[in-house]
Amino acid sequence: MQENFTDNNNESKENLGVYISTYGCQMNVNDTDRMYSLLEMVNFNPVSRPEDADLIIINSCSVREKPVHKVHSEVGRYKNLKKSNSKLRIGVGGCVGQQEKKNLLSDVPLLDFVFGTDAIDELPDIVEKIYRNDQKIVRARFEHQKPYQIQTLNRNPGISTFVNITKGCDNFCTFCVVPFTRGRERSRSLNELVKDVNSLVQRGVKEVTLLGQNVNSYKSECGAHFSKLLEVLAQDTDIERIRYTTSHPKDFDQELCDVMARNREKICEYIHLPVQSGNSEVLARMNRGYSRKEYLDKVLMIKNFVPGVSLSTDIIVGFPGETEEQFEDTLSLLEEVEYETLFAFKYSPRPFTKAAKFEDQLSEQQKSERLNQLFAKHDEIAFPLAKKYEGQILKVLVEKHNLETGKVNGRSTQNKLVHFSGGSDLIGKTVSVEITEAFPQTLRGKRVEL
Ligand code: SAH
Ligand code: SF4
Ligand code: F3S
């Protein structure tokens, strides 16, 4: 489909510029890429500044903080652009679009359209109608019945790229809005994913990160589970490296560890395993489906079967009713597991969720204090953990070259960012690097020939 949407308005036939601002998780980052690709097919050129755009899309997130407020203030910043460019149309997509639907149009009058997380592929059609009829549009229905069939669309997949394997989430953790903004869980077919990864390999991709809210509950229509998918991708495609995120502790099983152990050359030994709390009562009220002990048993299993594994986690502090003692269980769990990376958040009540109605919500001050305490504890742990890499030789997939510093950087299989001297010829290559100096999140080293 190649059309010029502004024809009816007798305006110029040149390509229009599209700017998308992105919030939220990797899923949204990946969706933004898809939006750009779809819009490019109908003559929109991606631009890097909203000032140069004729179409602005806010790909929003509602997992924490005041999402509608954020949309309001961002759209407000574009008010003058709308005055100076009569072609400019502004839309909101992503999780806030899904959550708020038509309410957003009345709340934010400058908006022209709102679309939900299942309506991304309708974007060219929505935009065409917006320009043709100059009427506001809302499309935010879930596609619960349709199979999840897509092709990864990525204008420039580069060396490392994301591949969606599931969408939605059926877990309904009591704090989380995602099941309401992404709908019921659906998995893509195994064959489609193999084809997709093969075609990315042909475009020069060396590493894929399999994406889903809960990747290890993946189940293809032929009954294949996540571990099967991982093994098939590792053995039947030429992809060099495979990562995945996010895995849910309750669905992390022995089989997955076995597949990782059998395919160590390809499946990276980095696992993001969100715990949320170190206290079993809090975990039960969160509806996480595991106790502290069950979580720790899984960590032990992972450490036994995936040597050198690097773990990261998500933690929520100040969940309704969390006592000081229960919070201390989270601090001690941090020490016990030894996470290299921590993502921690203050609990924030979300619409539609059960926990938002729980009594005994904590004060902002209590939550802030606990968050600070948690980060301070992690700082104590993270530095010695990083130091252990000094002297080790890591395999680094080079992604970037900095002309000014003469250095390159890339990620080790443990997901550590490693900087070392080298030229642009190394981009896309996996090289051995001896670590000379370690910081909590980055490592410095020198290339070695093995
Ligand atoms: N599917 C992933 C999480 C996706 S949301 C999982 O189950 O692990 C990413 C993170 O945001 C969560 O792990 C949680 O730590 C945080 N989060 C989600 N809802 C939240 C809320 N209401 N308040 C604070 N943090 C929240
Ligand atoms: Fe949210 Fe829980 Fe689903 Fe993760 S598993 S997306 S935290 S409901
Ligand atoms: Fe945010 Fe939606 Fe992702 S709420 S975290 S963008 S799934």
Side-chain angles (χ1 to χ4, degrees):
M1 181 169 49
Q2 290 278 313
E3 354 180 1
N4 194 307
F5 296 150
T6 55
D7 277 356
N8 274 14
N9 303 339
N10 286 332
E11 286 173 302
S12 69
K13 279 189 180 266
E14 84 273 28
N15 282 0
L16 300 175
V18 52
Y19 174 85
I20 307 180
S21 62
T22 312
Y23 301 89
C25 60
Q26 288 103 328
M27 217 88 57
N28 257 18
V29 173
N30 203 24
D31 287 348
T32 289
D33 240 320
R34 187 171 190 84
M35 290 176 200
Y36 273 129
S37 301
L38 288 162
L39 289 167
E40 220 170 28
M41 288 181 212
V42 290
N43 276 351
F44 278 88
N45 280 335
V47 294
S48 53
R49 303 179 330 147
E51 292 80 359
D52 301 327
D54 304 287
L55 177 64
I56 295 178
I57 294 172
I58 302 171
N59 191 10
S60 58
C61 167
S62 53
V63 83
R64 296 175 290 270
E65 299 165 274
K66 306 180 178 83
V68 178
H69 192 81
K70 264 188 168 168
V71 169
H72 241 299
S73 61
E74 177 158 353
V75 174
R77 291 204 298 275
Y78 303 141
K79 198 171 176 179
N80 288 337
L81 296 180
K82 262 219 158 172
K83 280 188 196 145
S84 57
N85 178 2
S86 64
K87 280 185 263 173
L88 179 60
R89 303 289 183 273
I90 306 178
V92 170
C95 289
V96 184
Q98 188 66 52
Q99 181 184 302
E100 297 297 318
K101 304 181 180 66
K102 65 180 184 345
N103 297 344
L104 262 188
L105 288 186
S106 36
D107 283 355
V108 191
L110 279 179
L111 277 183
D112 298 293
F113 62 103
V114 174
F115 61 107
T117 48
D118 264 2
I120 294 171
D121 286 12
E122 295 172 40
L123 198 49
D125 180 57
I126 295 172
V127 171
E128 191 245 349
K129 291 205 165 60
I130 287 286
Y131 277 106
R132 208 173 287 283
N133 306 332
D134 217 5
Q135 263 178 1
K136 301 202 176 210
I137 291 184
V138 178
R139 295 243 185 114
R141 262 209 325 262
F142 278 131
E143 291 292 351
H144 282 319
Q145 304 309 327
K146 262 203 212 157
Y148 183 28
Q149 249 171 347
I150 56 162
Q151 187 202 346
T152 297
L153 288 179
N154 199 324
R155 289 169 303 138
N156 175 18
I159 306 296
S160 173
T161 198
F162 294 124
V163 172
N164 279 88
I165 64 163
T166 63
K167 67 172 180 179
C169 181
D170 291 348
N171 283 325
F172 291 91
C173 300
T174 55
F175 53 82
C176 184
V177 77
V178 171
F180 304 95
T181 62
R182 295 270 167 178
R184 297 291 56 76
E185 190 179 278
R186 288 274 177 282
S187 298
R188 291 176 66 193
S189 89
L190 190 87
N191 289 341
E192 185 183 277
L193 284 163
V194 171
K195 261 197 229 150
D196 216 10
V197 170
N198 273 329
S199 84
L200 289 168
V201 170
Q202 293 199 326
R203 292 175 70 193
V205 172
K206 309 283 183 198
E207 176 184 276
V208 288
T209 302
L210 308 178
L211 274 189
Q213 285 301 345
N214 180 358
V215 280
N216 43 353
S217 68
Y218 171 87
K219 197 164 173 213
S220 77
E221 76 291 333
C222 62
H225 287 261
F226 180 60
S227 42
K228 174 76 180 165
L229 169 70
L230 262 188
E231 187 137 59
V232 168
L233 291 178
Q235 296 186 354
D236 298 353
T237 75
D238 288 327
I239 194 73
E240 281 181 25
R241 278 181 171 191
I242 304 171
R243 300 184 186 280
Y244 59 87
T245 196
T246 298
S247 43
H248 196 298
K250 79 174 164 55
D251 298 315
F252 211 108
D253 57 14
Q254 179 68 55
E255 208 182 322
L256 181 48
C257 285
D258 291 343
V259 168
M260 289 188 77
R262 278 203 296 273
N263 296 278
R264 276 163 66 185
E265 288 302 310
K266 286 200 170 183
I267 305 172
C268 292
E269 68 273 41
Y270 163 69
I271 300 171
H272 183 56
L273 199 64
V275 67
Q276 313 298 356
S277 164
N279 177 272
S280 296
E281 280 161 41
V282 175
L283 286 170
R285 281 190 296 121
M286 287 176 162
N287 191 32
R288 287 294 288 178
Y290 52 86
S291 64
R292 175 190 175 101
K293 174 157 188 324
E294 282 163 341
Y295 182 89
L296 287 172
D297 285 348
K298 300 233 168 164
V299 168
L300 205 63
M301 170 180 79
I302 291 170
K303 287 186 174 176
N304 281 337
F305 284 85
V306 189
V309 68
S310 163
L311 293 169
S312 64
T313 202
D314 289 348
I315 285 175
I316 296 178
V317 298
F319 186 74
E322 183 190 63
T323 64
E324 196 55 43
E325 292 73 36
Q326 290 171 335
F327 171 63
E328 275 164 22
D329 284 345
T330 300
L331 293 176
S332 71
L333 183 111
L334 216 59
E335 279 182 328
E336 224 169 301
V337 178
E338 300 196 310
Y339 299 105
E340 294 190 19
T341 309
L342 165 70
F343 302 91
F345 316 98
K346 289 191 271 186
Y347 169 73
S348 140
R350 307 280 18 116
F352 322 117
T353 60
K354 282 195 176 158
K357 295 185 208 92
F358 287 177
E359 282 169 10
D360 46 26
Q361 302 275 335
L362 274 71
S363 70
E364 270 310 296
Q365 198 195 338
Q366 277 172 309
K367 291 190 235 180
S368 299
E369 278 167 13
R370 288 186 188 174
L371 191 67
N372 290 340
Q373 250 180 296
L374 189 69
F375 279 128
K377 172 64 80 192
H378 186 251
D379 284 346
E380 283 171 26
I381 301 165
F383 201 44
L385 281 176
K387 280 281 174 203
K388 74 168 189 240
Y389 289 112
E390 289 184 356
Q392 285 191 27
I393 294 172
L394 306 183
K395 289 222 173 308
V396 178
L397 172 60
V398 180
E399 287 191 55
K400 284 190 188 132
H401 173 242
N402 185 328
L403 207 60
E404 276 168 32
T405 61
K407 288 201 182 274
V408 288
N409 68 55
R411 295 203 170 257
S412 73
T413 47
Q414 302 84 353
N415 206 33
K416 291 279 168 199
L417 189 61
V418 183
H419 296 270
F420 60 101
S421 295
S424 58
D425 56 311
L426 292 182
I427 291 181
K429 298 208 169 84
T430 299
V431 295
S432 298
V433 180
E434 183 180 340
I435 304 306
T436 50
E437 208 176 352
F439 307 93
Q441 290 313 322
T442 58
L443 305 174
R444 219 175 265 163
K446 61 174 194 279
R447 194 178 166 198
V448 289
E449 300 285 348
L450 286 185

